[in-house]
Structures are given as structure tokens and as C-alpha cells.
Amino acid sequence: MSINKVILVGFVGKDAEFRSFPNGDGVCNFSVATSDRYKDKASGEMKEITEWHRVSCFGKLATIAHQLVKKGSQVYIEGKISTRKWKDASGVEKFSTEIKADVMQMLSSKEYKEPLSSDIVVTQRPSLSLPDIEDDSIPF
């Protein structure tokens, strides 16, 4: 057995982009930034590392994401990692890694606070709240 499960809580880098396929299905793409803060052992300075994640939504979730996902919004995403490989016009192999979202919840939007899934089954979830952690309490 194997599991491919990703959970992200982060901020959107720019408004979501929507594309329609000839068969009527749609895809919505956007980027989410997550950040880690840590104290540098050598200098004692606080440092921050930001990681950008490409997110894709399909079907009804794509339509809703296109309406709600705006630059600066905070989102909760559940999905799986997917890596695609292709050749560009000059024949060079390219790779792209993205998160295929199954569930999305707007955390900073006033318009919609319920989780949305790819099949639009809305379930009740407890509010996501992260504890306040003092930098001195981190063991590394």
C-alpha cells in the first residue's frame, strides 16, 4: 500500500487562472506559498524559507476556485503530488510538479468558509487554528 497525500495551508500568489477544455471540463491553476521560520544556530538570527506550490483544481472545484481564489487569500488545500514530463519545442525534456487539489477551503475569504471538494461534497470540519509557538520552545 502507498499513500500520496498533501495538505497545504498558505497564501495565494496571484489570482487563479481558469482554462476550459473542448469537452467542457475546466482546470484552475494558482500558486500557494508556505513559509517556515527557524532560528539559525550559527548566527542566532530568525530566518524564513518560502516554498511555492503549483496547485491545480478540476471540474466543479475549478469553477469555484476561479471565483474565490484571489492574490493574498489564505487557503487550505488537500490533494496529491503529481509530476508531469514533456518536451519543449526544442526537444528538451521538462518536468513540472504540482498539487492536484481534491479539497479546498478558503481561510481568509468572507465569501465562503466551508470546505469544497472535487465532487463538491461539503462536510463539517473543525476550524483550523495553529497554536502559538515560541521560538525558544522549538528543540532545534
Side-chain angles (χ1 to χ4, degrees), residues 34-53:
T34 57
S35 296
D36 286 325
R37 289 179 41 115
Y38 66 95
K39 186 183 282 189
D40 186 278
K41 289 182 181 180
S43 68
E45 291 181 50
M46 289 304 296
K47 301 240 176 162
E48 185 172 11
I49 298 173
T50 300
E51 185 78 31
W52 285 95
H53 312 275

Side-chain angles (χ1 to χ4, degrees), residues 50-68:
T50 300
E51 185 78 31
W52 285 95
H53 312 275
R54 295 169 47 105
V55 178
S56 296
C57 302
F58 299 90
K60 292 178 185 175
L61 187 59
T63 303
I64 293 171
H66 180 241
Q67 296 169 1
L68 299 180

Side-chain angles (χ1 to χ4, degrees), residues 4-9 27-34 51-58 61 65 75-84 96-104:
N4 182 351
K5 178 87 169 175
V6 175
I7 297 175
L8 297 174
V9 175
V27 61
C28 187
N29 297 304
F30 54 95
S31 295
V32 174
T34 57
E51 185 78 31
W52 285 95
H53 312 275
R54 295 169 47 105
V55 178
S56 296
C57 302
F58 299 90
L61 187 59
V75 294
Y76 169 93
I77 300 290
E78 284 184 27
K80 62 183 176 182
I81 295 174
S82 177
T83 302
R84 295 181 291 129
S96 175
T97 301
E98 64 189 4
I99 309 303
K100 290 187 176 179
D102 298 320
V103 175
M104 177 185 75

